[in-house]
């Protein structure tokens, strides 16, 4: 009925171990402890054929209600099998977004449903999930009324902790590796004043800083599916570019050098699913393209200097 490729637990754990080798010891210990605690309790979204009806409704009662299929699983329960649970909701008594319908199910029908959410304004990135095959933020994704059914699953190619909640540890660990903060070599002349930036330089950050780290783009990227332990993925690379081009930062060269190698950056094949998927309307594909051009130019300059 619905299928998504998923990673084996051993392969994913090895990937996390490989990633943490580049980080500081304390952080590595944290991630390794996490793997030890969770590797036998989690799994990815799996191919399931069974659907359970939560409500015992007649065909007449279902007629005026919207059907919602929600992916349900609890990996810590050895007796549990992943499944879709079918709910029927009256849309006249529900808000217009997918998160509204999920919260109605949780609050009024089935409190055992697990999901993440916070701001309900598309700002926090917590409620990222897949609706009818497309990743997005549930709080700003309209209920697909015209399709007659809403099918909600966790983000693809991620460990599922429970129901619609995925493990974001690897994603955040990769984000940490790019040092996502302002780095300076010169001390601030006046500690009570900001680092000034021209309007043109500030405008370069538009379309980059708005990222809410929901991972919708990264989990839609085929390259990230196959190399989540090595390739940093669209979201992290777009944020890496955001700091590379920030005129206030003084570690541009070092940031570009840190991205060199066969996998961190160059596994991007400009497929474009990231930009198509982004619920904030950003363009990580273009940001990565610029980043690849900058690293290539840096390599070219190094080669020319070496020949001289």
């Amino acid at each position: 009925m619905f299928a998504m490729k998923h990673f084996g637990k051993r392969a994913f754990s090895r990937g996390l171990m490989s990633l943490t080798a580049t980080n500081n010891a304390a952080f590595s210990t944290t991630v390794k402890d996490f793997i030890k605690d969770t590797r036998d309790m989690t799994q990815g979204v799996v191919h399931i054929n069974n659907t359970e009806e939560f409500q015992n409704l007649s065909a007449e009662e279902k007629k005026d209600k919207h059907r919602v299929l929600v992916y349900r699983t609890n990996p810590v329960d050895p007796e549990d099998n992943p499944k879709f649970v079918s709910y029927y909701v009256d849309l006249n008594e529900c808000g217009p977004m997918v998160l509204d319908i999920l919260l109605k199910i949780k609050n009024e029908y089935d409190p055992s449903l697990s999901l993440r959410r916070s701001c309900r304004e598309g700002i926090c990135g917590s409620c990222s999930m897949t609706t009818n095959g497309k990743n997005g933020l549930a709080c700003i994704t309209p209920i697909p009324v015209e399709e007659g059914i809403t099918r909600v699953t966790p983000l693809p190619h991620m460990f599922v902790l429970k129901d619609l909640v995925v493990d974001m540890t690897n994603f955040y660990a990769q984000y940490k590796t790019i040092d996502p903060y302002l780095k300076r070599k010169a001390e601030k002349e006046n500690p009570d004043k900001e680092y000034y930036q021209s309007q043109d330089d500030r405008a370069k950050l538009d379309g980059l800083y708005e990222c809410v780290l929901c991972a919708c783009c990264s989990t839609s990227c085929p390259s990230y599916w196959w190399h989540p332990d090595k390739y940093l993925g669209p979201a992290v690379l777009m944020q890496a570019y955001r700091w590379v081009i920030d005129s206030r930062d003084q570690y541009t060269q070092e940031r570009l050098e840190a991205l060199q190698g066969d996998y961190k950056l160059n596994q991007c094949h400009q497929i474009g699913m990231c930009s198509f998927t982004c619920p904030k309307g950003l363009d990580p594909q273009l940001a990565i393209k610029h980043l690849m051009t900058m690293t290539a130019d840096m390599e070219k300059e190094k080669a020319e200097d070496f020949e001289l």
Side-chain angles (χ1 to χ4, degrees):
M1 188 171 189
F2 182 87
M4 283 189 179
K5 180 77 175 175
H6 67 284
F7 290 106
K9 286 177 275 189
R10 291 184 179 178
F12 194 83
S13 295
R14 284 199 301 269
L16 278 177
M17 292 295 190
S18 174
L19 173 69
T20 57
T22 65
N23 297 333
N24 59 66
F27 186 69
S28 297
T29 302
T30 301
V31 177
K32 289 177 182 178
D33 287 344
F34 177 87
I35 294 169
K36 180 177 180 297
D37 293 339
T38 63
R39 62 184 175 186
D40 294 325
M41 302 189 303
T42 57
Q43 60 186 5
V45 180
V46 298
H47 185 175
I48 55 178
N49 293 310
N50 56 315
T51 301
E52 295 181 2
E53 296 281 344
F54 183 78
Q55 302 137 296
N56 186 19
L57 301 178
S58 65
E60 184 66 24
E61 290 173 313
K62 294 177 182 178
K63 186 175 63 174
D64 297 324
K65 291 181 170 60
H66 185 76
R67 190 183 187 196
V68 186
L69 288 176
V70 182
Y71 185 93
R72 302 296 306 273
T73 185
N74 185 8
V76 299
D77 182 358
E79 303 299 322
D80 177 82
N81 290 313
K83 58 186 174 293
F84 277 112
V85 175
S86 178
Y87 305 90
Y88 289 86
V89 180
D90 185 349
L91 296 184
N92 293 319
E93 301 175 355
C94 178
M97 301 299 174
V98 170
L99 183 61
D100 293 319
I101 206 168
L102 291 174
L103 291 179
K104 185 173 181 64
I105 290 171
K106 182 174 178 64
N107 294 336
E108 300 180 20
Y109 300 164
D110 186 358
S112 68
L113 175 62
S114 294
L115 68 149
R116 287 193 181 110
R117 54 95 179 177
S118 183
C119 72
R120 301 188 66 161
E121 297 291 341
I123 299 298
C124 71
S126 298
C127 62
S128 51
M129 56 189 72
T130 304
T131 302
N132 286 14
K134 184 179 179 181
N135 296 351
L137 296 173
C139 63
I140 57 174
T141 300
I143 299 169
V145 180
E146 67 285 350
E147 296 182 32
I149 187 171
T150 299
R151 184 181 291 107
V152 187
T153 60
L155 289 177
H157 301 267
M158 302 279 271
F159 275 157
V160 179
L161 300 178
K162 188 175 185 293
D163 299 337
L164 302 175
V165 180
V166 298
D167 169 28
M168 300 284 280
T169 302
N170 184 50
F171 179 78
Y172 289 138
Q174 290 175 316
Y175 181 59
K176 180 184 174 72
T177 65
I178 67 167
D179 294 340
Y181 45 83
L182 194 67
K183 298 177 70 176
R184 301 276 297 181
K185 297 177 182 178
E187 290 188 12
K188 204 172 190 179
E189 294 182 4
N190 188 339
D192 297 324
K193 290 190 175 182
E194 305 88 347
Y195 290 114
Y196 291 113
Q197 190 173 44
S198 71
Q199 291 184 358
D200 289 341
D201 284 337
R202 169 59 187 80
K204 294 177 183 178
L205 304 182
D206 290 339
L208 301 172
Y209 77 90
E210 298 96 331
C211 174
V212 295
L213 296 175
C214 64
C216 286
C217 64
S218 292
T219 54
S220 70
C221 172
S223 295
Y224 193 71
W225 297 345
W226 310 135
H227 304 289
D229 56 326
K230 300 175 182 177
Y231 177 53
L232 293 181
V236 173
L237 288 174
M238 184 169 71
Q239 290 310 296
Y241 178 65
R242 175 255 181 276
W243 291 106
V244 163
I245 66 168
D246 193 319
S247 61
R248 299 164 297 177
D249 192 271
Q250 297 179 333
Y251 278 77
T252 301
Q253 184 81 7
E254 291 84 350
R255 290 182 185 278
L256 290 174
E257 289 176 350
L259 294 172
Q260 290 182 319
D262 293 334
Y263 283 93
K264 284 186 178 181
L265 171 62
N266 291 330
Q267 277 300 303
C268 174
H269 298 291
Q270 290 290 293
I271 296 171
M273 284 300 297
C274 52
S275 297
F276 172 76
T277 302
C278 178
K280 301 291 288 184
L282 308 182
D283 195 354
Q285 179 188 14
L286 182 61
I288 296 172
K289 183 178 180 180
H290 290 325
L291 201 56
M292 294 174 76
T293 299
M294 294 178 74
T295 55
D297 289 344
M298 184 182 68
E299 281 296 301
K300 184 178 179 180
E301 290 178 6
K302 282 185 177 180
E304 291 174 351
D305 292 341
F306 180 77
E307 290 176 1
L308 294 175

